[in-house]
Amino acid sequence: MTPAPAREAERILSAAAARTGLPETMLAQGMLADSRGLPAPARAERALRQAVQASRTVDTPPATSAPRLLPREADVERALGRFFDARLRLAAAPADETARRAFEDCMFTLCVLMAEPCAYAAVREAVQYTEG
């Protein structure tokens, strides 16, 4: 179901067994049946899918060891203004390569300013930061 070393596969199987209360052997038999095209018990299949999804989700621990350096509020407001302008220009002309580059540059600037690798999170953090 997911490429994983044996230890990781065992951890996924154990997590699924703990979630459903089914023995690991029953889940393993369900996986084997599924690989052969036979129907697996629905409860086992659902638990395995949830455990696989959880294994694919990256959990990054919050960085609490050092205080975060915050940008000046005026810089964030200016970057947000440029971002919203670029987004409007791109929405008006989606095929315009210049508008797309300007939008991507604004997104990158917000990601750097807010120290967020995810564009959505960077915009959300910037809006929250400027609103108080």
Side-chain angles (χ1 to χ4, degrees):
M1 293 176 79
T2 186
R7 286 188 191 272
E8 183 68 15
E10 183 179 358
R11 190 184 66 72
I12 291 169
L13 189 62
S14 294
R19 177 172 287 162
T20 60
L22 297 172
E24 290 180 13
T25 54
M26 180 182 243
L27 291 174
Q29 288 171 349
M31 288 174 54
L32 186 59
D34 186 55
S35 72
R36 293 179 177 161
L38 301 172
R43 192 169 150 201
E45 185 176 346
R46 185 173 45 251
L48 286 167
R49 289 193 191 284
Q50 290 171 348
V52 167
Q53 185 62 35
S55 74
R56 290 179 179 166
T57 304
V58 178
D59 291 333
T60 54
T64 57
S65 60
R68 193 169 124 189
L69 183 62
L70 297 174
R72 290 185 335 170
E73 192 171 333
D75 292 338
V76 176
E77 286 176 356
R78 200 170 17 261
L80 268 176
R82 284 195 301 264
F83 164 74
F84 288 123
D85 288 343
R87 188 173 75 167
L88 287 173
R89 277 182 276 146
L90 184 61
D96 183 10
E97 193 60 35
T98 305
R100 178 160 306 282
R101 270 196 304 273
F103 177 76
E104 290 172 355
D105 286 346
C106 292
M107 279 303 330
F108 179 76
T109 301
L110 280 173
C111 287
V112 170
L113 279 174
M114 301 313 297
E116 287 286 343
C118 171
Y120 175 78
V123 172
R124 185 185 65 231
E125 289 287 324
V127 169
Q128 288 176 353
Y129 182 65
T130 57
E131 289 179 349

